[in-house]
Amino acid sequence: MAKPLISVIVPVYNEEANIVKAYEAITREFAGLPDYDVEIIFTDNHSTDRSFALLTDLAHAHPHVKVLRYARNFGFHRSILTGYRYAKGDAAIQIDCDLEDPTSVFPDFLRLWREGHDVVVGVREGRNEGWHMIKIRRVFYRLLNQISDSPHVMDAGDFRLTDRHILDQLQHIDDADPYVRGLISELANRQGEVRYTRHKREHGESKFPFWQLVRLAMNGIFSYSTAPLRVATYMGIAISLVTALLTAFTILARLFLNAPWPSGFATTTVLILFGISLNAIFLGIIGEYVGRIYNQVRRRPTVIIERALNIERRADYP
């Protein structure tokens, strides 16, 4: 009988110090898993260092190493979604090139997959970063789960195993701003969890500084919840009611109590600026959704592939 093929998807952007180490770690792990075959798909998001040269050398030396290089940086989620679409395996495992997520978790992923889970998620029990970032992440994951239209696994990133039937469904997803972990959670029938401690990055710099993490968080919220629009609506109604009540009170007090109101220039100015600020915030929220609609109706390709090594290049996905 043919062995199950596992596709390992490794997103890359300026990771010249980690590429060979990642390849060696993945290969070493599967050497201890003789019941499986493996293909390793590196998705190069148009790196500007020596990453693609190193990937080219690996692909020429090892046929099971496959490389997709994009014509420009299309963003993290588009990159990994394309990797999933090109995976030929019975299941796919996504892992970051910096190996902060350990390959030693692979056997647990595969065991739960064999037991019938179509998605197995790595849940981070510990991280080597500041306590404030850990708290922020935990708050975000719980907030997203509360307001999202589909459930998300708490404290989980993109380190996961995905079954073939979900990979097949991802082929048909037409989303201009994909949030891949949300897509996979939504498509999953039975999710399993493996808890682990995340390692510290040893080489290179993180590609997700604080503001980039904020951008990813906003993408997750706007992709899987309309709660911000509802908040804007509810706050608008509440402020309108308060304003109407205060206006009525002012008129009645002036007519029947002959109240000598002070000029109140500072108060009026603050209230006006507060109203302008709220309008700006709400217009920004609406703009986020309108922008997503605009990107969706244009139906541009998810990515444009510049080079494909050891893998058949197909027409760019919508």
Side-chain angles (χ1 to χ4, degrees):
M1 294 180 63
K3 300 177 183 179
L5 175 64
I6 306 299
S7 301
V8 180
I9 301 166
V10 188
V12 173
Y13 180 67
N14 290 348
E15 293 285 2
E16 62 181 4
N18 293 310
I19 286 172
V20 174
K21 296 180 182 296
Y23 167 76
E24 292 174 347
I26 295 168
T27 303
R28 186 167 52 248
E29 194 63 46
F30 274 93
L33 297 167
D35 295 333
Y36 300 93
D37 288 328
V38 63
E39 66 171 2
I40 306 174
I41 302 175
F42 289 95
T43 59
D44 179 16
N45 221 343
H46 204 76
S47 298
T48 56
D49 61 1
R50 295 182 58 251
S51 292
F52 184 63
L54 294 172
L55 292 172
T56 300
D57 292 341
L58 282 175
H60 287 163
H62 308 285
H64 67 286
V65 174
K66 302 172 181 183
V67 180
L68 296 169
R69 176 172 171 83
Y70 306 142
R72 60 181 175 83
N73 189 331
F74 285 90
F76 176 71
H77 283 284
R78 289 187 177 192
S79 173
I80 58 176
L81 177 58
T82 303
Y84 279 120
R85 286 170 166 172
Y86 272 85
K88 294 183 177 179
D90 299 287
I93 297 175
Q94 180 192 335
I95 186 170
D96 290 344
C97 194
D98 56 21
L99 296 180
E100 291 184 22
D101 301 315
T103 58
S104 58
V105 179
F106 287 3
D108 293 323
F109 278 3
L110 294 168
R111 174 178 53 81
L112 289 176
W113 175 57
R114 287 288 203 180
E115 292 175 1
H117 296 84
D118 54 0
V119 173
V120 184
V121 181
V123 178
R124 302 157 180 171
E125 284 193 324
R127 306 175 62 106
N128 288 285
E129 61 182 3
W131 64 269
H132 58 287
M133 284 301 300
I134 294 175
K135 292 292 185 183
I136 290 172
R137 289 178 189 273
R138 287 179 177 172
V139 169
F140 164 70
Y141 288 132
R142 281 150 184 78
L143 172 64
L144 180 61
N145 203 46
Q146 286 294 321
I147 67 176
S148 176
D149 298 327
S150 2
H152 292 74
V153 178
M154 295 290 97
D155 303 316
D158 295 288
F159 185 37
R160 68 186 65 225
L161 176 146
T162 306
D163 184 71
R164 180 75 249 171
H165 86 87
I166 293 179
L167 298 179
D168 290 338
Q169 293 180 72
L170 290 176
Q171 304 284 340
H172 307 291
I173 296 293
D174 182 12
D175 193 338
D177 295 290
Y179 185 64
V180 177
R181 70 177 72 168
L183 285 174
I184 292 175
S185 293
E186 188 173 10
L187 295 172
N189 294 319
R190 185 184 178 197
Q191 293 196 75
E193 299 179 8
V194 175
R195 299 188 174 273
Y196 71 100
T197 299
R198 206 168 198 227
H199 296 165
K200 184 177 181 180
R201 171 185 275 266
E202 296 183 1
H203 304 283
E205 298 180 353
S206 173
K207 305 307 180 294
F208 294 98
F210 178 76
W211 289 111
Q212 182 67 17
L213 292 174
V214 171
R215 184 176 177 182
L216 287 175
M218 297 293 285
N219 187 34
I221 291 172
F222 290 126
S223 293
Y224 275 87
S225 176
T226 57
L229 288 175
R230 289 195 295 270
V231 169
T233 301
Y234 297 153
M235 287 193 68
I237 292 172
I239 292 172
S240 297
L241 290 174
V242 171
T243 302
L245 290 173
L246 289 175
T247 301
F249 173 74
T250 302
I251 293 172
L252 292 173
R254 186 69 174 177
L255 291 176
F256 299 105
L257 301 178
N258 197 26
W261 300 112
S263 57
F265 174 77
T267 303
T268 302
T269 303
V270 169
L271 290 174
I272 291 173
L273 292 176
F274 177 67
I276 293 172
S277 300
L278 281 180
N279 284 332
I281 292 171
F282 296 156
L283 284 174
I285 292 173
I286 294 170
E288 286 286 339
Y289 287 98
V290 172
R292 288 168 183 274
I293 295 169
Y294 173 66
N295 288 332
Q296 189 67 37
V297 298
R298 288 192 299 172
R299 298 185 63 82
R300 300 289 180 87
T302 303
V303 300
I304 299 173
I305 296 173
E306 181 181 290
R307 296 280 303 278
L309 306 177
N310 290 344
I311 191 168
E312 182 182 354
R313 178 176 172 175
R314 292 173 264 171
D316 293 325
Y317 283 95

